[in-house]
Amino acid sequence: SRCFPAPAFPPASSQRAPALGFKRGAAAALPPSLPPPCPQIAVRACFLGFAFGCGLLLSAGRSAWRHFGWYMCSLSLFHYSEYLVTAINNPRSLSLDSFLLNHSFEYNLAALSSWVEFTLEKLLFPELKQITWLSTVGLLMVVFGDCLRKAAMLTAGSNFNHIVQNEKSDTHTLVTSGVYGWFRHPSYVGWFYWSIGTQVLLCNPICMVGYALVSWRFFRERVEEEEITLIHFFGEEYLEYKRKVPSGLPFIKGVKVEL
């Protein structure tokens, strides 16, 4: 299967030879399935931990930013757990990208847009950000979506990868048990409801609609792309699975197959 290259260290000068030797020794002591240690991983993990802690502090207060604290905890936990579960399931594909912090320009723009909307509406319409029951519904959507996605990753094991695979490896198997018995694409279903839930949590009406539309379009294209590959990998076995189990995403049936 396609794997991310292990992060490389910058070349060291002759004065730093002992430190370089130590790094090589530490890397050699790691299991062969794991990439060498990378300080950037620790930086990202610490950043997410700091964001989670700030979110807890905001959540514990009674200010108008309380619900934004819930959001910060949810967002940082989502990205940290993406890396953690990948490390458990499929360490050969592990890289800095496994945090999904640099998922895409569009993803980062969407996050920034939600922060701007929350701040502006908090200043102009502060009562809009105090609908606790709606934020609670959003928090439940976030928890459900993230738990479903992580359950899908753990159930798929080494078959799960953040990148759609174009070549079938010897270890690839069609997973139909667990949450895959409920939906064909449970990780996408989880992410879909998680993303919308973050905007319900923030009481962001504009981003709520925008996230739903953009996420739906993204996953429709992603499901079709992935199912073409799965049909190529597993043939009739996947077609039979496709007939029995829904995609789990609203109004998305997947790739159409001419019989």
Side-chain angles (χ1 to χ4, degrees):
S1 61
R2 180 179 176 183
C3 298
F4 292 107
F9 291 103
S13 62
S14 58
Q15 289 81 0
R16 299 285 299 208
L20 180 60
F22 172 79
K23 287 180 180 179
R24 285 176 176 169
L30 289 173
S33 60
L34 291 176
C38 178
Q40 296 181 55
I41 294 174
V43 170
R44 283 162 172 74
C46 287
F47 168 75
L48 291 172
F50 176 77
F52 186 85
C54 290
L56 283 180
L57 291 176
L58 289 175
S59 301
R62 293 288 179 179
S63 71
W65 292 92
R66 182 185 182 192
H67 298 156
F68 195 83
W70 295 1
Y71 167 81
M72 288 180 65
C73 290
S74 303
L75 187 65
S76 55
L77 184 60
F78 172 83
H79 285 287
Y80 179 79
S81 59
E82 285 289 313
Y83 185 92
L84 178 63
V85 175
T86 301
I88 296 171
N89 266 359
N90 195 4
R92 291 184 180 276
S93 69
L94 196 64
S95 78
L96 286 174
D97 293 336
S98 301
F99 283 109
L100 296 185
L101 288 171
N102 57 339
H103 178 271
S104 65
F105 171 78
E106 292 80 7
Y107 180 82
N108 294 331
L109 181 62
L112 180 61
S113 299
S114 71
W115 305 340
V116 171
E117 181 184 351
F118 180 89
T119 303
L120 290 178
E121 290 176 351
K122 179 181 176 298
L123 295 174
L124 299 175
F125 313 103
E127 67 281 356
L128 182 63
K129 303 304 177 184
Q130 300 300 317
I131 310 176
T132 301
W133 70 266
L134 184 59
S135 292
T136 302
V137 170
L139 182 61
L140 292 174
M141 290 177 65
V142 164
V143 172
F144 166 77
D146 202 7
C147 288
L148 178 60
R149 178 170 171 81
K150 297 312 183 293
M153 294 173 69
L154 290 170
T155 301
S158 62
N159 293 283
F160 186 90
N161 199 301
H162 285 119
I163 304 296
V164 175
Q165 304 297 287
N166 295 319
E167 296 181 4
K168 182 182 179 183
S169 71
D170 295 336
T171 60
H172 274 157
T173 58
L174 180 61
V175 181
T176 59
S177 59
V179 291
Y180 287 87
W182 306 345
F183 313 119
R184 296 200 307 275
H185 303 280
S187 67
Y188 296 161
V189 175
W191 198 346
F192 177 76
Y193 287 107
W194 175 87
S195 65
I196 299 174
T198 61
Q199 301 313 299
V200 177
L201 189 161
L202 292 175
C203 300
N204 281 351
I206 297 175
C207 281
M208 194 186 306
V209 175
Y211 270 49
L213 294 176
V214 173
S215 297
W216 184 87
R217 180 176 179 181
F218 170 80
F219 286 119
R220 181 192 64 181
E221 296 174 354
R222 184 66 176 258
V223 164
E224 291 180 356
E225 176 189 357
E226 184 170 306
E227 290 196 336
I228 290 173
T229 302
L230 289 170
I231 292 171
H232 175 69
F233 284 180
F234 302 106
E236 185 59 35
E237 183 183 5
Y238 184 78
L239 292 175
E240 181 64 22
Y241 172 64
K242 184 176 183 297
R243 284 191 286 266
K244 292 180 178 179
V245 180
S247 72
L249 293 160
F251 308 108
I252 296 179
K253 296 183 178 181
V255 66
K256 295 181 180 179
V257 180
E258 297 292 337
L259 298 178

